[in-house]
Amino acid sequence: MSETPGIVVMGASGRMGQMLVREVNAHPKMRLAGAVERPGHGWIGKDLGSAMGGQPTGLFVTDDPLEAMAGAQGVIDFTTPQVTIDLSVIAAQARAVHVIGTTGMTDEDIAKLDAAARHAVIVRAGNMSLGVNLLTQLTKQVAAALDEDFDIEVVEAHHRHKVDAPSGTALMLGEAAAEGRGLDFKEAYEAARDGITGARAPGKIGFSAIRGGDIVGEHDVIFAGAGERIVLRHLASDRALFARGALKAVLWGQDKRPGHYSMLDVLGL
Ligand SMILES: NC(=O)C1=CN([C@@H]2O[C@H](COP(=O)(O)OP(=O)(O)OC[C@H]3O[C@@H](n4cnc5c(N)ncnc54)[C@H](O)[C@@H]3O)[C@@H](O)[C@H]2O)C=CC1
Ligand SMILES: O=C(O)C1=N[C@H](C(=O)O)C[C@H](O)C1
């Protein structure tokens, strides 16, 4: 592993992209090797520092991930499912660690990462924070301890710009609850309710999504029984915590064998 791995930030102008650029630049054990945006984006060809409203840095934004990856050891990618799938091929060719924060990926999308994971390290998680990953473990434990008399509901809230629902985090928490209770997640999954739905069926895990304003990310796992409720909650108030998790993952992956890993692997949970 090189002393200071070169890291490329994909989607550099995005909410997470800009946060990642700042965190990589501030990190003593890595250097920013490239910044990529979509073709036609106003930042292409511009100095990244200037585009972000600061001092010029001499690093220019490109729309060519292959060019950006030359000499890089990792890429951090919080973009869209198709961009992530396409990038996995390029990252694997470069044998660079591909950290994926992108959510909204279907099972078919995720299966398309398999080929790349045979040649390079992929770390993917719907939430990169320590708190949420710990919460998945607690959720599994509580779901295992309580019986079917406790209905499980996952409620999440995010900013108005979020395009996917339920959030990647809500799905992680739902999967953990299903695992704890010994349910098949796909069968247990119950999407947001509307209209005359009938009474709640047992053995289901319900999902509800709120979208509004600048909410960074809030998640409740509710275990509702007769006369009592247990609520496990995570509140994110700063995107930096997702970025710091991603930086931890890209460093962790530097000496690992090719494969598809999660943040639980990175955090040792
Ligand atoms: N796993 C985690 O901890 C977290 C995951 N996310 C997920 O990250 C993703 C991005 O979220 P935001 O930053 O809020 O969205 P955003 O829309 O602000 O940023 C996405 C960026 O990707 C860029 N992009 C699109 N096509 C591209 C291409 N072909 N090449 C390079 N860049 C391209 C866009 O221009 C945009 O700047 C979402 O899926 C979100 O759910 C967000 C926060 C935390
Ligand atoms: O889009 C976001 O903003 C977030 N997305 C992730 C998700 O889908 O769970 C993580 C975090 O909640 C913020």
Side-chain angles (χ1 to χ4, degrees), residues 15-24 26-27 78 127-130 216 234 236-248 263:
R15 276 173 291 277
M16 279 306 300
Q18 294 196 47
M19 188 59 80
L20 286 159
V21 165
R22 281 191 281 271
E23 292 293 329
V24 172
H27 200 292
F78 286 64
N127 195 305
M128 300 273 169
S129 77
L130 169 64
V216 174
H234 184 267
S237 48
D238 185 348
R239 284 187 180 85
L241 89 158
F242 308 132
R244 289 188 196 125
L247 265 56
K248 198 182 273 266
M263 276 309 279

Side-chain angles (χ1 to χ4, degrees), residues 135 142 153 219-224 229-234:
L135 195 67
V142 175
E153 294 282 316
H219 294 85
D220 278 1
V221 186
I222 302 168
F223 295 86
R229 251 180 307 157
I230 295 162
V231 183
L232 301 181
R233 168 171 292 172
H234 184 267

